[in-house]
Amino acid sequence: MKLKIINGPNLNLLGNRETNIYGDISFENYLKQLQEKFKKAEIFYFQSNSEGEIITEIQDSEKDETNGIILNAAAYSHYSIAIRDAIKSISIPVVEVHISNIFSREKFRHKSVISAVCKGIISGFGLISYDLAIQSFIK
Ligand code: DQA
């Protein structure tokens, strides 16, 4: 089982950015914990602050035989029709993840334009949101 975590803009700052909302652990450190916990899966990680690079990574997932994508498109979740179209263009299941509960924050975060084309959405459990998304792929 090959899983790919894709993180969007500003998530490279995890551990330093708004730690009251996003926590104080860097994603690289948390990734090590996930890889240790889910030994059955190969977990790959890609982060970009650029919409186009995220789209290319989503498109390339069929070529590199990824079985499932865990996507935190960050702020792009709220308005990127291009990322939505990229998700629609592939047949690999995508689980949308958010660290914070987007529905309990500012109104502009309540709407995600990608949710409807994702298999499911996990939001509000801190970094554990990623863990739960991985569990959804592992039988
Ligand atoms: C986020 C929520 C988004 O609204 C925000 O723009 C992010 C992170 C989350 O993981 O909680 O950058 O996707």
Side-chain angles (χ1 to χ4, degrees):
M1 163 81 48
K2 194 169 167 180
L3 299 177
K4 192 188 278 182
I5 297 172
I6 301 178
N7 271 346
N10 300 305
L11 293 172
N12 54 313
L13 302 178
L14 281 179
N16 296 312
R17 168 197 185 202
E18 296 179 272
T19 52
N20 56 321
I21 300 174
Y22 299 114
D24 54 12
I25 305 176
S26 73
F27 197 78
E28 285 70 15
N29 279 342
Y30 187 64
L31 180 65
K32 280 188 209 136
Q33 290 179 35
L34 290 174
Q35 286 165 332
E36 192 59 34
K37 178 171 175 185
F38 297 102
K39 288 225 169 75
K40 272 202 223 157
E42 276 186 289
I43 305 172
F44 295 87
Y45 176 53
F46 177 82
Q47 188 278 331
S48 176
N49 293 326
S50 144
E51 187 180 27
E53 284 181 7
I54 294 168
I55 291 165
T56 302
E57 192 62 33
I58 292 170
Q59 291 178 358
D60 286 351
S61 298
E62 289 202 316
K63 275 182 254 153
D64 64 31
E65 298 183 340
T66 296
N67 303 108
I69 297 174
I70 293 128
L71 173 64
N72 186 345
Y76 286 136
S77 317
H78 309 302
Y79 65 92
S80 176
I81 306 299
I83 290 179
R84 177 192 167 107
D85 287 349
I87 297 167
K88 262 199 111 176
S89 76
I90 57 167
S91 53
I92 302 162
V94 177
V95 172
E96 177 182 358
V97 157
H98 298 282
I99 297 164
S100 61
N101 179 348
I102 57 171
F103 304 101
S104 70
R105 298 184 63 194
E106 303 96 323
K107 200 151 192 245
F108 62 84
R109 295 185 205 274
H110 296 183
K111 169 92 187 149
S112 164
V113 297
I114 66 170
S115 300
V117 295
C118 288
K119 189 177 176 205
I121 168 168
I122 300 170
S123 181
F125 295 94
L127 289 174
I128 293 168
S129 294
Y130 294 90
D131 183 311
L132 296 171
I134 294 169
Q135 286 186 48
S136 78
F137 284 112
I138 293 174
K139 310 263 145 52

